């Protein structure tokens, strides 16, 4: 085990997909750290590479994906990219676990909840009865009433909110050091969302795990996370702690995201602000800054070469020439 | 579940009735004089009339149809024109042989087809997947009686591994089983192809679903994901399809029974066609059609029962 | 099968970029299975059409001294129990098989198209009744249905064709019905109808181009099925009457003497295998060419 205080340390991760049109460069030079016992949020539009990033962490990429040789994913001192089959089996669900976006489709419809939960415990030498006991205890902990009896029920017998609770219970079964939550509340309505978030906060204290929280709900990120990473079109454009990022956003994209957040719009306006233009073509990248075609603040250097990452101060950095020139 | 069962049962009965109606009208509509064909050119008009009366062909069409349906309900399918034995009795004697053959054929196709389909789905787009695809198409295309004849020639006549003809000694289950191997293969081989393709497609569909991604993320071993998590779902539509399979297997069974000189509905009907034994033929067609409707019904119900979402929904 | 846009044809000097009409054929031939299928189909068709030219003997000629002979240079595939040359009989049997297939599928196609359009375009109740009929026909084991009809009207080539028409028509009718239904709700058609074009004309002129590909594929898939039915019934002795040769009756002759000489059964099965495989491979590859969406899932 390394002495590093970061549970997860992603360095220079680049992933591309071989498609009929050519190489689609989904992730480019991602650097990202998840410190012990902290929650790191990832924000970005759909298609910005959030899912590819998550899948890379567990090495669950599609067969046509190519990971750049320089890429490193250091998890608790080990490089996930170097792991063999059995190491990966020990990693997935045990040391890194995951909560999925859509609880309605995340559970196998023809296998009972109890069996699905016990299956995750296959790595532990427990009897069937002990596994069921553990499963029932986990269900009770995430607030499923009558948990012992409900082990034999199938997913369709639970509501959406209940199913997400079950997913959370499954994710925490092996007491992982890192929990990845992929938009866990997007598919739920607002009341359920609040309940689930409340549950996750509670559980984080009990289980003492670090968390990577993916969402496009800035309010949730602000409420839950310690640090935030803003992604755009396969790049990390800005990262820093929650306070810096929400109050001193440097990258024009982050600033626009904050403006577009419906919760932050105070005065009544007829039209919601949007970011004009669309995500660039990742097969045929622009020469300069990836955001420049949509950026209201672009100037000469933006069109020439992609900007590096420039520090704003402390842990706060952004990928924008404006930061360098400020 | 009860309501669903009743609804499906009703549909099955309706389909059998309509099928028989279509059959009778087809027979009624084709030009030609059945009695003349049956009795030859030298028959007198009296003989023809008598023959028609015997077969009930002299009555108006709808009378014939409803009389037929009425008789079916009471279990009376008429008598053998020549031996005067009741057709129901003859069918009851022959049916077990045909059902056993169909089940063995289905067994063959499931035993080979389902693993082949799984394998193809797991090793998608590999050389072996493509090879399996060609084999599947081949199995589907080649007529079952060719398979039967070649199997008879190779395994029974040349190699002598299996008996060539008959159903085996009555009472000797082992012998009867040996006699079922080759005919079963002939009946079932075509469905190996259908099943392999169908299982492959539904496996691939299931493998792309969200919960499989989640099982992977939770580190469930790949084998377990493939053979429990995915197959348990992919098998549901396959089970429903098997019922349809029985219908085409029965057609194959006719040939297998002739080629391997086995007793059964198929052989009985073919013999009856040659002797113009109309009631037996109609009985045979009715029973096989009912068998088909029944097996579709049963497989649908099994598929529904296997799926907890449906099982508890009724 | 792309159509050229006005821009493409506007400039007379500019090279007109359009796919050649037979592009689909190239696509078909690029697929080894498609090329093989086409080759086998052509082989069968040519040998059947030229049966009289290619046959070394008269298929009816008896040569009792040479009965049940094995393959030799004189008789490439041996002779049957009456001393008839099996090779010549197989060539002529191909004529019968293809004749039955073409006639019955041709009629099924027309009939199915008409019934399908009727179901799709007609009132709801008619649609339901026709659908029930289509489903019921599929409930018969085909052979059983054929046997029942044969009992009444006697075995003949016409009987086989009639039975096949009855059992294959529903397949074509279903395709035509679904296409008609989806077209019926198309705004394009609604617009044209409001301009006064007559119903029938609309249907036929818009429907047929959309239907060619799926119907062609189904035909290609049905031909081996029909040939199998003809051969099967002839094998049972309930098909074409002797001395007209059929692959099925050749097989039956061979079956009776399977213990003396396996040659007739082996030789009689080969053309059936070639034909069914050829048409099936061709049909599958045609589907891949015309319906790339289905290709992904094979």
């Amino acid at each position: 085990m390394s002495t590093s205080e970061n549970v997860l340390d992603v360095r220079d991760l680049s992933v591309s997909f071989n498609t009929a049109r050519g190489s689609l460069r989904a992730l480019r030079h991602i650097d990202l750290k998840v410190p012990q016992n902290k929650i790191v949020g990832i924000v970005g539009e759909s298609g910005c590479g959030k899912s590819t990033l998550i899948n890379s962490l567990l090495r669950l990429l599609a067969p046509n994906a190519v990971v750049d040789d320089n890429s490193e994913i250091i998890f608790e001192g080990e490089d996930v990219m170097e792991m063999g089959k059995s190491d990966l089996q020990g990693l997935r669900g045990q040391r890194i676990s995951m909560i999925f976006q859509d609880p309605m489709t995340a559970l196998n419809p023809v296998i009972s909840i109890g069996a699905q939960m016990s299956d995750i415990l296959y790595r532990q030498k427990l009897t069937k009865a002990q596994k069921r006991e553990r499963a029932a205890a986990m269900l009770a902990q995430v607030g499923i009433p009558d948990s012992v009896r409900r082990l034999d029920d199938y997913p369709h017998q639970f509501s959406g909110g209940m199913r997400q609770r079950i997913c959370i219970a499954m994710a925490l079964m092996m007491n992982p050091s890192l929990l990845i939550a992929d938009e866990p509340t997007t598919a739920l309505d607002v009341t359920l969302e609040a309940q689930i978030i409340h549950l996750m906060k509670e559980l984080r204290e009990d289980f003492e795990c670090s968390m990577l929280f993916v969402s496009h709900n800035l309010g949730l990120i602000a409420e839950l996370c310690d640090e935030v990473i803003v992604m755009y079109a396969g790049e990390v454009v800005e990262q820093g702690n929650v306070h810096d990022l929400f109050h001193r956003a440097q990258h024009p994209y982050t600033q626009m995201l904050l403006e577009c957040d419906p919760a932050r719009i105070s005065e009544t306006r007829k039209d919601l602000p949007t970011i004009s233009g669309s995500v660039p073509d990742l097969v045929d990248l622009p020469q300069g800054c990836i955001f420049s075609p949509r950026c209201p603040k672009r100037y000469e250097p933006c069109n020439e070469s992609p900007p590096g990452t420039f520090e704003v101060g402390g842990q706060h950095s952004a990928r924008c020439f404006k930061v360098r020139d400020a | 579940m009860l309501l669903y069962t009743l609804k499906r049962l009703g549909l099955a009965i309706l389909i059998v009735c309509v099928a028989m109606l279509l059959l009778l009208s087809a027979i009624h509509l084709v030009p030609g004089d059945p009695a003349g064909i049956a009795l030859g050119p030298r028959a007198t008009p009296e003989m023809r009339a008598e023959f028609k009366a015997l077969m009930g062909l002299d009555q108006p069409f709808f009378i014939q149809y409803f009389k037929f349906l009425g008789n079916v309900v009471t279990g009376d399918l008429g008598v053998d024109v020549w031996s005067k034995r009741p057709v129901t009795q003859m069918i009851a004697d022959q049916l077990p042989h045909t059902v056993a053959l169909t089940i063995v054929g289905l067994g063959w196709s499931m035993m080979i087809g389902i693993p082949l389909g799984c394998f193809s789905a797991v090793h998608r787009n590999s050389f072996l997947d493509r090879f399996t695809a060609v084999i599947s198409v081949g199995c589907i295309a080649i007529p079952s009686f060719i398979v039967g004849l070649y199997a008879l020639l190779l395994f029974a006549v040349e190699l002598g591994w299996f008996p060539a003809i008959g159903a085996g000694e009555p009472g000797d289950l082992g012998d009867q089983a040996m006699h079922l191997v080759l005919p079963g293969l002939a009946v079932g081989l075509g469905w190996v192809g259908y099943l392999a393709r169908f299982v492959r497609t539904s496996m691939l569909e299931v493998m792309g679903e969200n919960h499989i991604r989640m099982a992977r993320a939770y580190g469930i071993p790949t084998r377990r994901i493939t053979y429990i998590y995915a197959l348990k779902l992919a098998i549901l539509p396959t089970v429903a399809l098997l019922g349809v399979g029985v219908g085409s297997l029965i057609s194959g069974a006719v040939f297998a029974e002739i080629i391997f000189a086995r007793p059964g509905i198929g052989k009985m009907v073919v013999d009856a066609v040659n002797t113009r034994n109309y009631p037996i033929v109609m009985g045979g067609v009715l029973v096989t059609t009912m068998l088909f409707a029944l097996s579709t019904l049963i497989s649908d119900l099994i598929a529904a029962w296997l799926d907890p979402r449906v099982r508890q929904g009724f | 099968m792309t159509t050229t846009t006005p821009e493409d044809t506007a400039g007379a000097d500019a090279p007109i970029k359009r796919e050649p009409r037979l592009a689909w054929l190239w696509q078909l031939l690029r697929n080894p299975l498609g090329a093989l299928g086409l080759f086998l189909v052509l082989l069968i068709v040519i040998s059947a059409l030229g049966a009289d030219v290619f046959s070394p003997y008269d298929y009816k000629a008896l040569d009792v001294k040479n009965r049940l002979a094995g393959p030799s240079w004189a008789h490439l595939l041996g002779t049957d129990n009456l001393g008839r040359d099996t090779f010549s009989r197989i060539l002529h049997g191909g004529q019968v098989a293809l004749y039955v297939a073409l006639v019955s599928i041709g009629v099924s196609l027309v009939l199915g198209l008409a019934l399908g359009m009727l179901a799709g375009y007609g009132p709801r109740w008619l649609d339901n009744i026709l659908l029930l009929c289509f489903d019921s026909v599929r409930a018969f084991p085909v052979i059983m249905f054929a046997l029942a009809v044969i009992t009444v009207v006697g075995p003949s080539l016409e009987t086989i064709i009639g039975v096949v028409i009855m059992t294959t028509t529903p397949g074509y009718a279903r395709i035509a019905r679904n296409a008609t239904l989806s077209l019926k709700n198309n705004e394009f058609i609604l617009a044209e109808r409001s301009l006064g074009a007559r119903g029938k004309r609309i249907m036929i002129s818009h429907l047929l181009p959309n239907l060619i590909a799926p119907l062609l594929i189904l035909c290609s898939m049905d031909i081996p099925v029909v040939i199998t039915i003809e051969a099967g019934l002839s094998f049972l002795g309930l098909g074409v009457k002797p001395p007209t040769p059929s692959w099925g009756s050749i097989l039956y002759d061979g079956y009776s003497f399977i213990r003396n000489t396996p040659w007739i059964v082996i030789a009689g099965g080969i053309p059936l295998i070639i034909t069914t495989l050829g048409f099936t491979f061709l049909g599958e590859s045609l589907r891949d060419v015309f319906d790339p969406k289905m290709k992904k899932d094979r």
Side-chain angles (χ1 to χ4, degrees):
Chain A
M1 214 41 53
S2 82
T3 49
S4 152
E5 67 213 77
N6 292 326
V7 179
L8 180 73
D9 189 350
V10 176
R11 292 175 198 157
D12 198 22
L13 175 68
S14 299
V15 177
S16 47
F17 292 97
N18 292 325
T19 65
R21 295 195 304 126
S23 180
L24 187 143
R25 309 200 43 211
L27 291 180
R28 295 177 309 283
H29 311 293
I30 301 286
D31 290 302
L32 143 93
K33 289 178 174 58
V34 180
Q36 195 86 51
N37 282 328
K38 295 270 185 227
I39 300 184
V40 176
I42 300 182
V43 211
E45 291 168 283
S46 35
C48 71
K50 290 176 296 191
S51 308
T52 308
L53 174 62
I54 292 170
N55 287 342
S56 313
L57 298 182
L58 287 168
R59 290 267 302 275
L60 284 172
L61 290 166
N64 64 338
V66 180
V67 182
D68 203 87
D69 283 343
N70 297 331
S71 309
E72 283 179 10
I73 299 174
I74 311 293
F75 175 70
E76 293 184 329
E78 287 172 76
D79 190 348
V80 173
M81 294 316 298
E82 311 269 284
M83 283 189 177
K85 214 176 165 181
S86 61
D87 292 331
L88 283 175
Q89 206 110 94
L91 180 79
R92 296 174 187 155
Q94 183 161 17
R95 293 164 63 196
I96 302 183
S97 204
M98 195 158 160
I99 302 168
F100 284 83
Q101 187 173 353
D102 182 6
M104 301 312 273
T105 59
L107 295 164
N108 192 307
V110 291
I111 299 175
S112 70
I113 296 299
Q116 290 189 57
M117 293 183 83
S118 310
D119 259 2
I120 299 174
L121 296 172
Y122 75 96
R123 286 162 280 219
Q124 299 190 332
K125 286 196 167 51
L126 294 174
T127 63
K128 214 174 163 188
Q130 285 170 316
K131 285 181 185 171
R132 277 179 69 89
E133 214 171 286
R134 276 280 299 277
M138 277 309 302
L139 281 187
Q141 200 159 0
V142 295
I144 305 254
D146 203 7
S147 60
V148 177
R149 202 178 52 78
R150 300 221 69 179
L151 282 179
D152 295 319
D153 283 354
Y154 290 88
H156 71 273
Q157 288 159 296
F158 295 88
S159 66
M162 283 294 189
R163 285 193 218 187
Q164 195 57 299
R165 282 170 192 268
I166 294 168
C167 290
I168 293 172
M170 287 173 81
L172 294 174
M173 280 298 271
M174 297 296 291
N175 205 350
S177 352
L178 176 67
L179 180 66
I180 303 170
D182 184 3
E183 309 198 16
T185 57
T186 316
L188 303 173
D189 63 45
V190 185
T191 347
L192 286 174
E193 178 174 65
Q195 286 176 17
I196 295 288
I197 295 300
H198 180 73
L199 173 71
M200 285 175 68
K201 273 180 161 171
E202 238 177 57
L203 291 173
R204 187 170 86 101
E205 267 141 46
D206 299 344
F207 283 86
E208 293 185 333
C209 66
S210 318
M211 205 190 292
L212 201 55
F213 187 86
V214 180
S215 181
H216 49 235
N217 184 334
L218 292 169
L220 276 185
I221 298 262
E223 187 187 336
L224 203 64
C225 299
D226 304 302
E227 290 177 24
V228 184
I229 287 166
V230 182
M231 282 182 74
Y232 176 75
E235 282 176 10
V236 173
V237 292
E238 184 160 9
Q239 58 182 310
N241 70 45
V242 169
H243 187 265
D244 286 347
L245 215 112
F246 276 80
H247 294 280
R248 283 190 288 277
Q250 295 298 312
H251 197 284
Y253 177 66
T254 318
Q255 293 166 352
M256 289 169 81
L257 264 189
L258 292 172
E259 270 172 38
C260 294
D261 186 12
R264 290 191 142 222
I265 300 163
S266 44
E267 74 264 51
T268 38
R269 4 183 335 177
K270 277 197 180 132
D271 54 328
L272 286 171
T274 50
I275 304 179
S276 63
S278 57
V279 183
D281 181 7
L282 294 181
V283 174
D284 189 19
L285 293 171
Q287 200 192 355
C289 170
I290 188 80
F291 188 58
S292 64
R294 295 169 80 181
C295 185
K297 295 178 179 169
R298 67 172 170 271
Y299 63 127
E300 306 84 59
C302 302
N303 295 328
E304 283 152 23
S305 60
T309 307
F310 305 108
E311 274 201 14
V312 181
Q315 294 291 313
H316 188 181
S317 63
R319 214 178 254 274
C320 180
F321 288 117
K322 288 273 183 190
V323 177
R324 178 191 66 182
D325 297 348
Chain B
M1 190 83 193
L2 186 70
L3 190 73
Y4 179 72
T5 311
L6 287 176
K7 229 167 110 182
R8 287 289 290 108
L9 189 67
L11 188 67
I13 292 172
L14 182 65
I15 283 192
V16 171
C17 291
V18 174
M20 293 322 283
L21 179 68
L22 287 176
L23 174 67
L24 284 175
S25 50
I27 288 171
H28 205 75
L29 285 175
V30 232
D33 175 18
I37 289 164
L39 302 172
R42 272 178 291 173
T44 60
E46 290 79 44
M47 282 167 73
R48 287 186 198 175
E50 193 194 358
F51 180 83
K52 274 190 159 176
L54 189 67
M55 291 196 176
L57 288 170
D58 55 341
Q59 283 153 323
F61 173 64
F62 277 99
I63 305 278
Q64 277 185 49
Y65 177 61
F66 285 108
K67 225 174 142 183
F68 182 74
L69 281 190
N71 287 344
V72 169
V73 174
T74 54
D76 172 21
L77 293 173
V79 293
D80 182 331
V81 175
W82 314 112
S83 76
K84 308 288 177 214
R85 282 178 59 204
V87 173
T88 320
Q89 180 61 44
M90 294 176 71
I91 287 176
D93 290 344
Q94 304 296 326
L95 194 60
H97 292 288
T98 302
V99 170
L101 180 58
T102 312
I103 288 173
V104 172
L106 210 59
W108 268 108
S109 53
M110 281 162 70
M111 245 165 48
I112 307 175
I114 293 177
L116 217 56
C118 282
F119 178 87
S120 280
V122 174
H123 302 274
R124 185 186 188 177
N125 289 339
S126 66
F127 168 74
L128 278 166
D129 177 28
R130 270 161 220 185
F131 184 68
T132 309
V134 176
I135 295 288
S136 309
V137 176
C139 287
I140 294 170
I142 295 174
S144 73
F145 55 91
I146 299 277
V147 178
L149 283 172
Y150 281 13
L152 173 76
L153 190 61
L154 183 64
F155 295 112
V157 175
E158 295 296 323
L159 296 172
W161 290 354
F162 296 100
I165 55 166
E169 288 297 315
D172 183 353
L173 277 182
D175 191 41
Q176 286 181 335
M178 283 301 274
H179 278 85
L180 273 169
V181 175
L182 291 184
L185 180 70
V187 169
L189 195 66
W191 268 74
V192 168
Y194 281 115
L195 278 184
R197 301 176 90 175
F198 195 81
V199 169
R200 178 185 184 271
T201 314
S202 42
M203 274 294 265
L204 284 180
E205 207 170 283
V206 173
M207 291 295 248
E209 282 174 18
N210 239 335
H211 53 87
I212 295 292
R213 225 183 109 213
M214 176 156 125
R216 286 225 171 89
Y218 286 171
I220 310 286
T222 317
R223 275 170 155 271
R224 196 168 170 76
I225 292 180
T226 310
Y227 294 106
I228 308 278
Y229 281 65
L231 192 57
K232 240 185 169 173
L233 260 176
I235 209 77
L236 295 175
T238 315
V239 170
L241 180 80
L242 284 177
V244 183
V246 170
S248 69
L249 291 189
I250 291 172
S251 277
V254 175
F255 294 107
E257 282 167 9
I258 299 290
I259 292 171
F260 294 92
R262 294 176 54 81
I265 298 286
K267 187 158 174 30
M268 179 185 83
V269 170
V270 171
D271 290 344
V273 173
N274 284 317
T275 55
R276 313 275 155 207
N277 215 328
Y278 185 70
I280 295 190
V281 177
M282 286 311 275
V285 175
L286 177 75
V287 164
T288 45
T289 308
M290 277 161 75
L291 210 58
F292 175 58
L294 192 70
S295 63
T296 326
L297 171 72
I298 290 175
S299 64
D300 260 11
L301 291 181
I302 292 178
W305 180 78
L306 282 176
D307 188 337
R309 288 164 295 184
V310 184
R311 193 196 316 157
Q312 283 150 0
F314 291 96
Chain C
M1 306 280 282
T2 55
T3 49
T4 48
T5 55
E7 287 87 355
D8 282 338
T9 46
D13 324 314
I16 296 169
K17 236 181 127 188
R18 81 165 127 187
E19 269 185 67
R21 266 201 171 170
L22 290 175
W24 64 272
L25 190 66
W26 287 117
Q27 233 177 313
L28 181 72
L29 288 175
R30 263 213 311 268
N31 178 354
L33 224 53
L36 179 66
L38 195 62
F39 171 73
L40 295 178
V41 166
L42 286 178
L43 181 74
I44 288 293
V45 170
I46 290 172
S47 63
L49 288 180
D52 293 317
V53 183
F54 300 135
S55 296
Y57 297 91
D58 178 0
Y59 67 87
K60 286 176 295 202
L62 310 182
D63 182 1
V64 185
K65 270 182 281 178
N66 245 334
R67 57 199 293 270
L68 296 176
S72 64
W73 285 112
H75 296 280
L76 281 176
L77 294 172
T79 58
D80 67 7
N81 55 319
L82 299 173
R84 294 176 295 193
D85 180 51
T86 308
F87 183 61
S88 306
R89 287 177 61 74
I90 284 176
L91 290 179
H92 282 91
Q95 285 184 336
V96 174
L98 289 183
Y99 171 75
V100 171
L102 288 182
V103 172
S104 51
I105 294 209
V107 177
S108 300
L109 195 63
V110 175
L111 205 61
L113 218 52
L115 282 175
M117 284 189 200
L118 195 64
Y121 218 66
R124 190 66 184 269
W125 59 267
L126 188 65
D127 185 29
N128 284 334
I129 289 180
L130 284 172
L131 270 186
L132 185 65
C133 289
F134 299 161
D135 279 345
S136 305
V137 169
R138 292 201 318 183
F140 288 122
V142 180
I143 289 295
M144 283 296 178
F145 178 69
L147 292 177
V149 176
I150 288 170
T151 316
V152 179
V153 298
S156 72
L157 208 56
E158 292 72 39
T159 312
I160 297 182
I161 291 175
V163 167
V164 168
I165 290 171
M166 273 209 71
T167 50
T168 48
T169 300
Y172 298 91
R174 263 185 176 277
I175 291 184
R177 171 196 173 261
N178 292 343
T180 314
L181 269 185
S182 66
L183 213 68
K184 198 167 132 183
N185 304 325
N186 202 324
E187 287 169 55
F188 180 54
I189 295 276
L190 286 177
E192 192 155 314
R193 196 158 54 174
S194 63
L195 288 173
R198 298 232 344 259
K200 262 183 214 161
R201 261 227 347 257
I202 304 174
M203 270 210 288
I204 294 183
S205 62
H206 292 295
L207 198 62
L208 288 184
N210 289 331
L211 276 174
I212 287 174
L215 289 179
L216 190 67
I217 294 162
L218 188 60
C219 281
S220 185
M221 302 290 220
D222 266 352
I223 288 174
V225 176
V226 173
I227 291 180
T228 303
I229 294 172
E230 183 271 315
L233 288 172
S234 297
F235 175 74
L236 297 176
L238 300 170
V240 296
K241 283 179 207 141
T244 311
S246 152
W247 292 335
S249 43
I250 295 173
L251 277 172
Y252 184 72
D253 292 342
Y255 170 68
S256 319
F257 297 95
I258 199 164
R259 287 184 192 276
N260 309 36
T261 167
W263 289 111
I264 310 173
V265 165
I266 295 175
I270 288 169
L272 265 172
I273 293 178
I274 291 179
T275 314
T276 49
L277 282 185
F279 278 105
T280 312
F281 285 158
L282 185 66
E284 296 264 319
S285 314
L286 280 177
R287 193 181 58 196
D288 289 353
V289 170
F290 286 118
D291 198 354
K293 250 185 303 170
M294 285 184 80
K295 198 179 177 180
K296 272 185 203 153
D297 273 334
R298 176 150 71 236

